[in-house]
Amino acid sequence: MNDKYKFIDFLGLRFNVANDLSALIAAILVFVLVFALSRHVTMRPGKAQNVLEWIIDFTNNIIKSLMPDAAVKQFGLYAFVLFTFVFFANQLGLIFQVKVGGYTYIKSPTTNPMVTMALALISLLISHYYSVKKFGFGGYVKNYVKPVGFLLPINILEEFTNFLTLSLRLYGNIFAGEVLLALIGTVAQSFGVVSFVVALPLEMIWQGFSVFIGAIQAYVFTTLSMVYISRKLEKE
């Protein structure tokens, strides 16, 4: 995709307007969803509350499958927010894209590796923080030389590979989906009415499939984040 982006320099830092604006919209959508579903919380839940409770149970079950039930209190909110944010971020570019003057302003933020790396970094920093909190700094460092000392370089390298695989898996899947959608759209405009008629059902099918892929990738990203956290807490 040959998209062009606006950049803003502030305090020596460069910000991609499309990334920031798209991520902000995804965050607002998460807030609106949760606010709408939780406006009338009762002991006998209605349809909206049932949907919210289903999502919460879904993310809580991810944690329960990897860690003791008590961990839900620690990481339940994080897993819920992470899943819903990544889900909306993955779908945003499928719903609409905004381009003005040749510059892209709104798209799926997860089609940029910097965004997915930032999300992966948050998960990994949380895993390290809770590992230090549980074992102490000395115990945390000792985990890198277990079961034998010469595994230290491999254990350190594993931290970088975990970071890269977590971030680039999400980026690659969402980016590839939107590239293919753009290619189908280009084909639809290439040979007039005939190509449009042929490409339209393909565009609709792939867009529906991309929604499914976006949901799966949100689940995979959340699950792997919880896996990395659980591994840091289980080492002794």
Side-chain angles (χ1 to χ4, degrees), residues 28-38 51-52 55 84 88:
I28 291 173
L29 289 175
V30 171
F31 174 80
V32 170
L33 172 70
V34 175
F35 181 78
L37 296 180
S38 62
V51 172
L52 179 61
I55 299 173
T84 51
F88 277 108

Side-chain angles (χ1 to χ4, degrees), residues 50-230:
N50 277 328
V51 172
L52 179 61
E53 290 182 0
W54 181 86
I55 299 173
I56 293 173
D57 287 340
F58 178 75
T59 54
N60 285 349
N61 286 333
I62 294 175
I63 301 172
K64 291 178 181 178
S65 67
L66 299 167
M67 292 180 272
D69 290 351
V72 172
K73 293 183 179 180
Q74 282 185 307
F75 307 111
L77 179 60
Y78 176 65
F80 173 80
V81 173
L82 183 64
F83 174 80
T84 51
F85 175 80
V86 173
F87 176 81
F88 277 108
N90 291 347
Q91 311 300 340
L92 187 60
L94 300 176
I95 301 171
F96 64 96
Q97 295 188 17
V98 175
K99 295 185 179 181
V100 179
Y103 291 95
T104 299
Y105 287 94
I106 298 177
K107 63 183 182 65
S108 292
T110 44
T111 58
N112 189 295
M114 295 297 104
V115 174
T116 59
M117 285 182 179
L119 292 171
L121 184 61
I122 292 171
S123 293
L124 294 180
L125 287 176
I126 288 175
S127 71
H128 289 287
Y129 169 78
Y130 279 99
S131 181
V132 172
K133 185 177 180 180
K134 179 177 181 178
F135 300 111
F137 185 75
Y140 164 79
V141 173
K142 287 181 180 178
N143 283 327
Y144 283 93
V145 294
K146 292 181 178 180
V148 288
F150 67 80
L151 291 179
L152 175 62
I154 297 176
N155 289 331
I156 293 176
L157 180 62
E158 184 183 21
E159 298 298 328
F160 290 99
T161 58
N162 287 343
F163 168 73
L164 290 175
T165 55
L166 183 61
S167 59
L168 296 183
R169 179 187 289 106
L170 176 61
Y171 156 70
N173 280 279
I174 305 305
F175 179 76
E178 292 204 0
V179 166
L180 188 53
L181 280 174
L183 289 175
I184 295 174
T186 301
V187 171
Q189 303 173 22
S190 299
F191 303 101
V193 177
V194 175
S195 62
F196 179 80
V197 171
V198 173
L200 182 60
L202 292 176
E203 182 89 4
M204 294 175 64
I205 292 171
W206 185 253
Q207 190 148 6
F209 185 67
S210 295
V211 171
F212 173 73
I213 292 296
I216 291 295
Q217 289 304 313
Y219 167 74
V220 170
F221 190 89
T222 304
T223 300
L224 289 179
S225 294
M226 294 302 108
V227 167
Y228 295 143
I229 292 173
S230 68

